[in-house]
Every structure is written in C-alpha cells, then in structure tokens.
Amino acid sequence: MMPAFFIAHGAPLLAIEENMYTRFLNQLGKEWPSPKAVVLFSAHWESAVQKVSEVDEYKTIYDFGGFPEALYRIQYPAKGQKEITKEIEELFTKHGITYEVETSRGLDHGAWIVLKMLYPNADVPVIAMSVNPRLTPEEQYKVGKSLAALREKDILMIGSGGTVHNLGALRMVTDDGEVDDWALEFDRWLEKHLKSWDLEALFNYNTLAPAASLAVPPYGNEHFIPIFYAMGAAHNQPTAALIHRSYRYGNLSHSVWQFGGVEK
C-alpha cells in the first residue's frame, strides 16, 4: 500500500537549487516503487468547492514573480489520468463530498516543484486537487479520508504546503542557518501530536499549539491545511513518521511527513 505524504514545497528557488532538502526529495522518489498515479492537494490552488482535475497534459503555471529567469524556463508536462479522476468522483459522491471537475488548469508551483524532484521525467500521471481554507480541519481530513482506498491501488497521495510558512517573518537575505525558537516550538508540538494521531489536539492547533499565529498566520493557513488532507488519506492506517525536517530563511520549515506504512 502506498503511503500518503505531506511535503513542504518551500520557496520557488528550490526548483533550481541543489541542497540537503532537494537531494532528500530526489532520493525519496526512488525509495518507493513508481506509483500508478499521484493525487496532489496543493496549497496554491484554493477553491470554495473541492476541485479535481481532468486533463490530458498539464501546462506549467509560474504563479510567482521576481525570481531568476531559469525558473520560468522549467517545464513539467505531466499527464493526467481520467480513469482515476472518475474513481475520485465516485468516491466523493459515495462519501458526500461536493466537488467540481476542472478541465483546463495547469500545475502550480506547489505541485510541480515537488513532483519535479520526486519524478523528474514527468512520467507519473497526476491528478491535481484544490484545498479549501474555509473548511474546518475535521472537514479537510474528511476529504482526504474519502480517498483512502486509492492507496490500495498503488496511488500516491500528497499534500503540498508547509508546516511553518509566514512570509512576513522570513529572512531571505541572511539565510544563516539560525532557526527562530517559535518555529521550532510549533513544529515540536506538531510532531508530538502527529505521532500519536491526536486528532482532537490537531484539529484545534490554532488555539493549542505554541506560536500557532506565527507559524500559521490567519492569512496563510492554506499552506498548513494540506497536512489534514494527507492524514485523512491514511485514516485506514493511522501512523505518522517525520522523515525530514530542515529550515531556510530563519523559520521556513521543510518538513516531510509520511502517513501510513509506518511501524508503531
């Protein structure tokens, strides 16, 4: 059974950098058998109604500005898989999840940066999914849970975002390796409750976790919530392992969590 992953997509520069984190993601893509497809919930695709893509081949979206020209030359022409989109529709209908099919949107950088490092040849079909910050964490988890059966069909589930993602607090100029205490405190709290699959605490992270308003600012919770979609997808195998964590720019967390397939 394929696991579900929560993967931090970091800053767009990751796509043209070589560092500890990019090397980890390159290796991660080789450690599991190539999946039948990837279903990916991206922080950079927000919608009030759950969207599921149905395309033949994705265009590459450059949803950022002010970065080196090399970033805008990257192409990631992944193909869709309409049969799996239909399976997702059936599962959503079965579990009472309202959805809409999207037939033209490309892959945003929350999707293609992660996918390019895992599967650089763009040879694994992708079904792109939106996230809805207006839902409660419990409702987001339910969306992921409705798709848990896909993991039994060699389909990899990914939530792409960031556990600590506060653009106003970043120190892009220095990037000296120093990590803010509040970011560490939040991630350590999160680690404790993810490993114990403490849904009651996790669903109330905004009031219970230290420094939650800094780590997950009200205007930026879309980067945190993909973790609930990924967790939900492993509801039938509720185990969690932190398989990578590093930081850039003072507090930007590069956390990778594996849900399912983890020994207790």
Side-chain angles (χ1 to χ4, degrees):
M1 186 184 295
M2 279 287 173
F5 288 121
F6 174 80
I7 301 178
H9 61 249
L13 287 171
L14 275 180
I16 55 174
E17 292 178 328
E18 181 179 349
N19 54 45
M20 176 176 61
Y21 187 46
T22 62
R23 288 190 294 271
F24 170 82
L25 291 179
N26 291 156
Q27 183 60 34
L28 181 63
K30 301 172 184 175
E31 290 180 356
W32 289 85
S34 184
K36 181 179 179 181
V38 174
V39 175
L40 188 146
F41 292 88
S42 173
H44 286 277
W45 187 8
E46 298 179 51
S47 65
V49 176
Q50 179 64 51
K51 300 286 186 117
V52 50
S53 64
E54 183 179 83
V55 301
D56 292 318
E57 183 174 303
Y58 292 94
K59 61 185 178 182
T60 305
I61 301 175
Y62 308 101
D63 49 336
F64 46 76
F67 289 96
E69 181 62 27
L71 268 176
Y72 304 93
R73 293 196 296 267
I74 294 175
Q75 296 286 321
Y76 193 80
K79 294 187 177 352
Q81 178 58 266
K82 293 184 179 180
E83 291 81 2
I84 296 176
T85 295
K86 293 301 182 187
E87 287 191 62
I88 291 171
E89 293 180 55
E90 292 170 3
L91 288 169
F92 279 160
T93 299
K94 176 182 177 181
H95 292 279
I97 306 295
T98 302
Y99 69 91
E100 294 176 354
V101 175
E102 170 58 56
T103 60
S104 61
R105 190 180 188 276
L107 293 176
D108 58 69
H109 81 272
W112 65 258
I113 285 180
V114 169
L115 292 168
K116 185 176 183 296
M117 285 186 276
L118 294 175
Y119 307 110
N121 297 322
D123 54 357
V124 176
V126 176
I127 294 84
M129 309 287 283
S130 67
V131 298
N132 185 356
R134 299 170 186 84
L135 297 179
T136 65
E138 186 173 8
E139 290 169 326
Q140 293 151 358
Y141 184 96
K142 180 182 176 182
V143 173
K145 179 182 175 181
S146 72
L147 303 180
L150 294 177
R151 294 174 46 240
E152 300 175 9
K153 300 184 177 183
D154 295 327
I155 295 172
L156 179 63
M157 311 293 292
I158 296 178
S160 172
T163 58
V164 180
H165 187 277
N166 185 334
L167 297 181
L170 298 184
R171 299 193 295 277
M172 295 288 292
V173 177
T174 55
D175 196 20
D176 55 8
E178 295 294 322
V179 183
D180 293 329
D181 288 341
W182 59 264
L184 294 171
E185 290 172 2
F186 178 83
D187 265 345
R188 287 168 183 159
W189 182 92
L190 186 62
E191 178 179 357
K192 173 184 176 182
H193 294 283
L194 285 174
K195 286 183 175 179
S196 61
W197 211 267
D198 184 353
L199 295 180
E200 182 176 357
L202 292 166
F203 290 164
N204 293 282
Y205 74 90
N206 58 327
T207 58
L208 297 179
S213 62
L214 282 171
V216 188
Y219 58 82
N221 70 326
E222 77 285 343
H223 275 75
F224 183 69
I225 62 174
I227 205 165
F228 294 122
Y229 293 87
M231 283 189 78
H235 180 81
N236 53 354
Q237 200 180 24
T239 56
L242 178 64
I243 58 176
H244 179 91
R245 183 162 63 204
S246 56
Y247 296 87
R248 296 287 299 278
Y249 315 121
N251 49 63
L252 183 65
S253 177
H254 288 166
S255 295
V256 180
W257 280 91
Q258 178 184 328
F259 302 119
V262 180
E263 292 185 8
K264 291 187 178 181

